[in-house]
């Protein structure tokens, strides 16, 4: 299998197999042409392929007459905030995000700092496949690439939206595992600014990733050790580009990434009332927490772009997904782990509670997640076979907003194609672990792969 994923999340693949310099240049040319030239920001995460991919993207953008601003190694949310600040027409973040280090990706950002919508993504693909780009003549090429550090601007953009005095007064001790990703340049500084005693690990982007970049219970081992050794109030586990966040409580217990959003929902709705946006694959705890505050929940297909669009459409007070990605709209309508951390710290400061106590206040559910590798050419036929095998399920409702989600009174299972890898994802949730596992196994058995 030679993995390459082209879709709403941009284009991503394994470097040296499918993500080649030639492909990267062509996509950069297409994006520059789609924007009709102008200023374009470029940033990357620290994975080894970053300089190669950045050189190819820069060449492609310059070739169609764009002005390129290099933000260097910095989080994707930092670039997204900087688009408006620097008057850019868009940006390209070069990051595999939660993917393993052999992967890399181009994530395309439009003029308002959000990812391209599904329709805009299709338009960009049309430009790419048609190859109808107009290259600039030699005398219209930009003669230099500007370099700018956007981290200070991100910090300035965060400060007005949180109760800094309350957080500083709590004097929280926070362990943070940056995973040697781009957040190492942002989050520890932000936590220190909030008056926290910061216990950072893996905060050197010049070193290899010490773990898989995806924040989860499985990757929280080092953060757990630092929480216990340093007697921290909580721990943060970050991904490679600053979008996702999982947590460790004060006892050293790693929390599922599915809990980040429900905790943030409780914090956000305590501040002000309004709709919450999430996708169809995220835990039902979101509805349970929202119901406490009389708030409604809007469900979208899976993908940050869908969530961002719905946040704007419904005037939501918060949005996010079950992968640990949360958008605090006062800052920006896209996933931002620095903003998420501040929202949670503010809630801890205002309530005086521990993270463990906040989790204890949530209803108990069990989630099971399976990732089933599938060849790219078979991915969608596998889903269609699953639909055919399931048919009408007695006593259940079927939702085909994105893949197939089947809900019973005591639980649900969702089967869909991954947006980022050649996988079918199976997510099941129920009131107890045995039922959640039963639902996940039931779905897996009906996947004819």
């Amino acid at each position: 299998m030679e993995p390459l994923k082209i879709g709403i999340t941009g284009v991503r693949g394994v470097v040296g197999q499918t993500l080649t310099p030639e492909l990267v240049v062509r996509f950069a040319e297409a994006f520059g042409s789609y924007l009709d030239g102008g200023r374009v920001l470029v940033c990357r995460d620290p994975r080894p392929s970053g300089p190669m991919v950045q050189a190819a993207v820069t060449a492609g953008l310059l070739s169609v007459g764009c002005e390129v601003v290099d933000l260097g190694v910095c989080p994707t949310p930092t670039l997204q905030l900087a688009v408006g600040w620097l008057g850019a027409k868009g940006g390209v973040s070069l990051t595999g995000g939660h993917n393993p280090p052999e992967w890399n990706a181009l994530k395309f950002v439009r003029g308002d700092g959000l990812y391209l919508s599904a329709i805009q993504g299709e338009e960009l693909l049309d430009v790419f496949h048609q190859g109808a780009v107009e290259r600039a003549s030699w005398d219209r090429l930009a003669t230099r690439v500007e370099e700018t550090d956007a981290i200070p601007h991100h910090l300035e953009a965060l400060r007005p939206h949180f109760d800094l005095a309350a957080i500083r007064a709590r004097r929280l001790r926070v362990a943070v595992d940056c995973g040697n990703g781009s957040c190492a340049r942002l989050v520890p500084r932000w936590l220190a600014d909030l008056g926290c005693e910061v216990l950072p690990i893996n905060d050197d982007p010049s070193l290899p990733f010490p773990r898989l970049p995806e924040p989860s219970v499985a990757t929280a081992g080092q953060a757990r050790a630092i929480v216990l050794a340093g007697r921290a109030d909580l721990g943060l586990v970050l991904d490679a580009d600053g979008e996702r966040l999982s947590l460790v409580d004060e006892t050293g217990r790693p929390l599922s990434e599915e809990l980040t959003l429900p905790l943030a929902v409780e914090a956000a709705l305590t501040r002000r009332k309004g709709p919450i946006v999430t996708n169809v694959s995220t835990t039902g705890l979101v509805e349970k927490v929202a119901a406490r505050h009389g708030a409604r929940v809007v469900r979208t297909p899976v993908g940050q772009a869908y969530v961002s669009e719905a946040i704007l459409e419904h005037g939501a007070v918060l949005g996010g997904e079950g992968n640990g990605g949360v958008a605090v709209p006062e800052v920006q309508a896209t996933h931002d782990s620095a903003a998420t951390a501040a929202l949670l710290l503010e809630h801890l400061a205002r309530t005086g509670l521990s993270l463990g106590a906040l989790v204890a206040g949530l209803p108990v559910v069990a989630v099971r997640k399976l990732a089933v590798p599938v060849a790219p050419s078979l991915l969608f036929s596998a889903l269609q076979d699953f639909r055919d095998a399931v048919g009408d399920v007695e006593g259940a409702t079927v939702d085909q907003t994105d893949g197939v989600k089947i809900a019973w009174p005591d639980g649900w299972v969702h089967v869909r194609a991954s947006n980022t890898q050649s996988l079918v994802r199976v997510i099941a949730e129920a009131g107890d672990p045995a039922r959640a596992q039963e639902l996940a196994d039931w779905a897996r058995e009906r996947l004819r792969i």
Side-chain angles (χ1 to χ4, degrees):
M1 184 191 309
E2 291 191 344
L4 179 70
K5 292 291 291 184
I6 300 174
I8 190 170
T9 56
V11 55
R12 65 180 64 213
V14 173
V15 175
Q17 294 184 29
T18 52
L19 196 73
T20 64
E22 295 85 358
L23 182 77
V24 171
V25 169
R26 287 182 57 209
F27 262 105
E29 288 179 335
F31 184 59
S33 297
Y34 180 69
L35 295 180
D36 195 24
R39 175 175 286 191
V40 181
L41 310 185
V42 178
C43 76
R44 65 180 181 88
D45 73 20
R47 64 189 68 217
S49 59
M52 180 276 287
V53 176
Q54 183 166 1
V57 166
T58 301
L61 291 172
L62 291 173
S63 74
V64 293
C66 292
E67 171 193 351
V68 177
V69 180
D70 176 13
L71 304 185
V73 173
C74 85
T76 300
T78 304
L79 176 144
Q80 291 173 290
L81 280 171
V83 168
W85 170 54
L86 294 173
K89 295 184 72 173
V92 189
S93 178
L94 314 177
T95 174
H98 65 283
N99 287 83
E102 64 269 22
W103 287 74
N104 214 327
L106 283 66
K107 296 182 178 181
F108 301 108
V109 174
R110 64 195 196 191
D112 62 357
L114 302 181
Y115 288 127
L116 299 184
S117 68
I119 293 174
Q120 291 166 332
E122 290 295 331
E123 292 170 346
L124 174 60
L125 285 177
D126 286 343
V127 175
F128 170 78
H129 288 304
Q130 293 168 8
V133 300
E134 183 178 347
R135 294 185 177 85
S137 61
W138 66 271
D139 56 341
R140 292 198 300 115
L141 296 174
T143 57
R144 60 185 293 272
V145 173
E146 181 182 345
E147 296 181 0
T148 300
D149 183 4
I151 298 290
H153 173 259
H154 195 159
L155 294 170
E156 287 294 331
L158 288 164
R159 290 187 186 108
H161 302 293
F162 302 98
D163 189 344
L164 304 190
I167 300 171
R168 288 167 179 165
R170 180 76 190 266
R171 300 182 62 82
L172 293 159
R173 181 177 292 181
V174 183
V176 55
D177 179 359
C178 303
N180 291 337
S182 57
C183 260
R185 299 192 57 235
L186 172 68
V187 173
R189 289 172 63 180
W190 175 227
L191 295 174
D193 197 11
L194 294 173
C196 300
E197 182 180 348
V198 186
L199 308 177
I201 57 171
N202 302 321
D203 57 342
D204 186 348
S206 69
L207 298 178
F209 295 158
R211 55 170 172 79
L212 291 176
E214 186 167 16
S216 67
V217 171
T219 57
Q222 293 184 66
R224 176 181 186 275
I226 296 300
V227 167
L228 292 173
R231 298 181 179 179
D233 294 291
L234 72 157
L236 310 178
V237 184
L238 305 170
D239 68 356
D241 76 323
E243 293 186 337
R244 302 185 181 189
L245 169 70
S246 68
L247 304 162
V248 178
D249 76 9
E250 70 280 3
T251 71
R253 175 181 51 158
L255 304 180
S256 167
E257 66 279 8
E258 288 281 350
L259 291 179
T260 302
L261 180 59
L263 290 167
V265 169
E266 178 66 31
L269 290 174
T270 301
R271 297 166 116 210
R272 65 186 179 97
K273 308 307 180 189
I276 301 295
V277 172
T278 189
N279 66 44
V280 293
S281 206
T282 295
T283 174
L285 284 176
V286 174
E287 275 86 359
K288 295 179 187 296
V289 174
R292 294 174 178 173
H293 300 270
R296 66 188 179 97
V297 176
V298 177
R299 293 272 179 170
T300 74
V302 176
Q304 191 177 157
Y306 292 115
V307 171
S308 296
E309 292 289 333
I311 287 172
L312 298 179
E313 179 183 352
H314 297 278
V317 301
L318 197 80
E321 301 186 278
N323 55 23
V326 176
V328 182
E330 294 95 328
V331 179
Q332 57 180 335
T334 189
H335 295 175
D336 185 336
S337 61
T340 306
L343 178 66
L344 295 172
L345 294 175
E346 179 189 88
H347 192 59
L348 290 174
R350 286 178 168 176
T351 62
L353 297 173
S354 67
L355 179 58
L358 293 180
V359 174
L362 297 175
V364 176
V365 298
V367 178
R368 292 292 179 268
K369 297 184 178 184
L370 305 177
V372 184
V374 182
S377 60
L378 301 177
L379 197 57
F380 292 100
S381 63
L383 279 177
Q384 186 57 53
D385 289 344
F386 177 78
R387 290 187 185 95
D388 295 340
V390 169
D392 293 326
V393 182
E394 185 176 354
T397 60
V398 179
D399 182 346
Q400 298 194 37
T401 300
D402 185 344
V404 183
K405 183 176 183 179
I406 306 167
W408 293 263
D410 64 341
W412 56 265
V413 64
H414 187 203
V415 178
R416 55 172 290 273
S418 169
N419 287 335
T420 58
Q421 294 172 274
S422 295
L423 302 170
V424 170
R425 297 197 183 277
V426 179
I427 300 179
E429 181 174 272
D432 67 84
R435 177 57 171 160
Q437 189 64 55
E438 177 188 353
L439 293 175
D441 292 340
W442 178 89
R444 176 67 180 86
E445 289 168 3
R446 286 158 178 77
L447 276 170
R448 298 168 181 169
I449 299 172

